[in-house]
Amino acid sequence: MLLLHLVSLALVALASQANSLELKKDVPVFVKTLKDMQRGPPLKMVKRELKGEEKWITQPLDQFDETNKETYEMRYFINDEFQTEGSPIFIFLGGEWEASLDMINEGYWYDLAKEHKGVLIYTEHRYYGASVPTKTMTLEDLKYLHVKQALADVANFIKTFKSENAQLSNSKVVLSGCSYSATMAVWFKRLYPDLVVGAWASSAPLFAKVDFYEYKEVVGKAFRELGGDKCYNRIEKGIAELESMFKNKRAAEARAMLRICSNFDHENDLDLWSLFGSISNVFSSLAQYQGTGDLEYYCDFIMSFNDDATAIANFVYWAWNYPTCVDPSYQETVNYYLDGITNFDASRPWYYQTCNEYGWYQSSRSINQPFGSNFPATLYVELCKDVFSTKFGNDQIEKNTAQTNEDFGGLEPNVENVYMTHGGLDPWSAIGHGESHGATVISKMSHCPDLNSILSTDSAELLASKKRLAELLSQWLA
């Protein structure tokens, strides 16, 4: 298979130079790379007929204003194949993605529910998937998008679901989530401790901050630890050389190597930052979702070229997967997010949440990473201003993240009966609980690494963590 990939890259290297290509309207590469990092929970494909059904619950549009009588329909999925009288309720929380039946038909959460004869539910987060409460996503519409509203949706769901199901009226409830929805599981236990007896949070970021430079440090660490020093050094030198080419009158050469569309302006900082942010995001996505052997494989890939810059240019172009030229222009990114006002996908609402609640902008600020210095947090802040409102300047986003930490405790959420797990090479672990906080950290693994069923290939640490969760769950449901 490696040979096939190398042949593919060799063919790519012979492609026509990008400055002769017409601009192809597509998802701008910066948005595309961010989308690749916002995938839903990683699970193996279900190989049997999915059980369960799609259902809806009417929710208040504003959970905190009783004078506002507007409502919306929140989607959820339910699998009750194991239900009996008094079955515990196993809820997997949806995050910034579309929910589906898969999560409640496969994986360790499913296995645990089966063991305890539980009812499985997957809730969908407001403004994502089919649970969009407004006809458009203008800034005014998005005022109803906030994690507090989403958590209140879950609280209302639990109360309503139990009241409408006589067999389950006294059932205990447990929560689980991955990534942002794992954060929600922790925060739900903080705000509504009496509604759930316990929660499992896989890879939960807890501390909001604008400049999340530590993320790229962990990505670099993953490539060095798993791919080796030579691979790390090639990434660092190759990106540095591409940066130098743009600075030293070799921009046309660099554009051709990267197959960049003609509307890109390398003298515009925002364009240049978008390009190098997109390059770094390729490596981030691979590290964030890496499994056994993945980064070693990609490093073999990268090391097959004769020089550093050529290796990086060909590798990222292959990873971006565009049929013609690549569009990293900042204005096209702005236009794409503005188009999301009426053409819905998860990109616009999630970007709004980062501006309004979390920050989490993965920048090049640190010198302890190999991805260069050309994608500062300023790029993301400017996007907030140009896509939503000039009020979202750096000072305002700093205030917003500080408010989030005040509301939910930052790294001290003060919750009980919450089992937190992280991969040791998960870039998000830098702002989550570590071993010193009592979390379980699974070495060499990355983001949400423990959602699958117990497998013969599980490491000793991963297996021990799954068994520990099973023990805790039994205690919570006793």
Side-chain angles (χ1 to χ4, degrees):
M1 182 164 299
L2 178 58
L3 177 60
L4 290 175
H5 277 300
L6 294 178
V7 170
S8 175
L9 277 178
L11 291 173
V12 167
L14 297 174
S16 299
Q17 290 194 343
N19 56 5
S20 67
L21 292 170
E22 293 295 322
L23 173 63
K24 181 181 186 299
K25 289 294 182 183
D26 206 335
V27 178
V29 69
F30 187 62
V31 177
K32 185 174 184 179
T33 59
L34 291 178
K35 282 173 171 281
D36 286 343
M37 296 158 63
Q38 292 168 221
R39 306 175 214 165
L43 267 182
K44 292 184 179 296
M45 185 177 295
V46 180
K47 297 181 180 179
R48 56 175 173 77
E49 183 179 356
L50 296 176
K51 296 185 178 180
E53 59 183 316
E54 173 189 79
K55 289 192 173 184
W56 303 83
I57 178 175
T58 301
Q59 294 276 18
L61 178 63
D62 189 335
Q63 291 278 3
F64 306 108
D65 182 1
E66 293 183 357
T67 66
N68 185 339
K69 302 303 181 182
E70 292 182 88
T71 61
Y72 85 98
E73 297 301 303
M74 186 190 93
R75 183 169 66 165
Y76 67 97
F77 294 87
I78 180 169
N79 179 356
D80 58 2
E81 62 178 301
F82 310 122
Q83 181 175 332
T84 62
E85 181 76 32
S87 286
I89 301 169
F90 283 65
I91 299 177
F92 192 92
L93 300 176
E96 76 279 22
W97 54 77
E98 183 173 3
S100 69
L101 276 171
D102 298 61
M103 180 55 64
I104 53 174
N105 273 268
E106 185 83 12
Y108 197 47
W109 196 236
Y110 173 87
D111 298 339
L112 291 168
K114 181 178 181 180
E115 178 184 341
H116 291 276
K117 295 183 172 57
V119 176
L120 286 145
I121 291 171
Y122 191 178
T123 57
E124 191 166 68
H125 194 298
R126 58 169 59 202
Y127 285 87
Y128 298 100
S131 300
V132 179
T134 52
K135 293 182 179 179
T136 59
M137 290 195 191
T138 65
L139 181 61
E140 177 65 16
D141 294 324
L142 291 172
K143 70 182 180 181
Y144 302 108
L145 173 58
H146 195 282
V147 70
K148 288 182 180 179
Q149 294 280 3
L151 294 172
D153 284 343
V154 176
N156 185 53
F157 172 84
I158 291 172
K159 295 173 186 176
T160 303
F161 182 77
K162 292 176 71 173
S163 69
E164 294 178 351
N165 290 271
Q167 268 198 332
L168 307 174
S169 59
N170 295 313
S171 294
K172 293 182 178 180
V173 180
V174 287
L175 297 183
S176 181
C178 154
S179 192
Y180 166 54
S181 75
T183 305
M184 290 176 62
V186 177
W187 291 351
F188 190 92
K189 198 69 171 71
R190 176 183 172 93
L191 296 186
Y192 305 98
D194 297 334
L195 290 182
V196 295
V197 296
W200 169 32
S202 180
S203 298
L206 296 176
F207 187 78
K209 61 182 303 187
V210 176
D211 192 341
F212 182 21
Y213 63 87
E214 298 94 339
Y215 181 98
K216 298 295 181 179
E217 293 180 336
V218 182
V219 174
K221 178 184 176 183
F223 272 91
R224 188 191 290 278
E225 187 170 320
L226 299 179
D229 287 340
K230 288 183 179 180
C231 182
Y232 182 99
N233 293 339
R234 167 148 283 189
I235 295 168
E236 185 171 43
K237 290 176 182 177
I239 292 176
E241 185 173 347
L242 290 169
E243 287 181 329
S244 177
M245 291 170 75
F246 280 108
K247 292 177 183 176
N248 295 300
K249 300 182 179 180
R250 296 175 61 196
E253 183 182 352
R255 290 170 64 112
M257 292 174 68
L258 291 160
R259 290 84 165 170
I260 296 175
C261 298
S262 57
N263 62 333
F264 174 79
D265 180 4
H266 72 274
E267 294 183 347
N268 179 327
D269 283 345
L270 292 169
D271 277 15
L272 201 64
W273 295 345
S274 298
L275 170 62
F276 281 97
S278 301
I279 290 172
S280 77
N281 286 346
V282 166
F283 298 95
S284 297
S285 180
L286 295 176
Q288 183 168 307
Y289 294 105
Q290 58 90 9
T292 302
D294 287 351
L295 296 195
E296 295 92 327
Y297 171 77
Y298 290 118
C299 280
D300 284 345
F301 209 7
I302 291 167
M303 296 306 297
S304 68
F305 292 90
N306 292 328
D307 69 87
D308 300 327
T310 299
I312 299 306
N314 280 285
F315 182 68
V316 298
Y317 181 76
W318 167 79
W320 289 332
N321 192 30
Y322 283 90
T324 55
C325 65
V326 178
D327 183 6
S329 65
Y330 174 78
Q331 189 56 51
E332 287 300 316
T333 296
V334 172
N335 292 344
Y336 183 87
Y337 282 123
L338 291 175
D339 189 57
I341 292 174
T342 53
N343 295 307
F344 299 161
D345 74 3
S347 299
R348 180 175 171 86
W350 179 246
Y351 207 86
Y352 173 78
Q353 286 194 264
T354 69
C355 304
N356 195 49
E357 300 176 61
Y358 310 121
W360 290 339
Y361 300 134
Q362 298 142 17
S363 79
S364 57
R365 173 181 163 188
S366 173
I367 62 172
N368 298 314
Q369 49 86 17
F371 308 110
S373 57
N374 270 312
F375 48 100
T378 305
L379 165 64
Y380 298 88
V381 173
E382 289 301 308
L383 265 177
C384 288
K385 292 193 291 185
D386 290 338
V387 171
F388 298 111
S389 169
T390 54
K391 76 175 185 179
F392 287 116
N394 191 76
D395 289 347
Q396 183 59 51
I397 301 176
E398 289 282 2
K399 290 179 182 177
N400 294 345
T401 58
Q403 186 63 55
T404 297
N405 291 328
E406 181 178 336
D407 290 341
F408 298 107
L411 291 175
E412 301 296 337
N414 192 27
V415 292
E416 295 181 348
N417 291 358
V418 177
Y419 183 57
M420 298 193 212
T421 58
H422 279 285
L425 294 177
D426 176 13
W428 289 97
S429 65
I431 50 173
H433 269 193
E435 291 177 341
S436 63
H437 296 94
T440 295
V441 178
I442 307 162
S443 64
K444 296 187 182 299
M445 305 208 75
S446 192
H447 201 53
C448 302
D450 45 1
L451 300 187
N452 282 308
S453 300
I454 291 176
L455 304 170
S456 61
T457 54
D458 285 351
S459 68
E461 288 179 66
L462 179 55
L463 181 59
S465 178
K466 289 178 178 179
K467 289 183 175 179
R468 177 58 179 155
L469 172 60
E471 292 171 359
L472 290 171
L473 200 61
S474 294
Q475 293 173 20
W476 299 338
L477 295 176

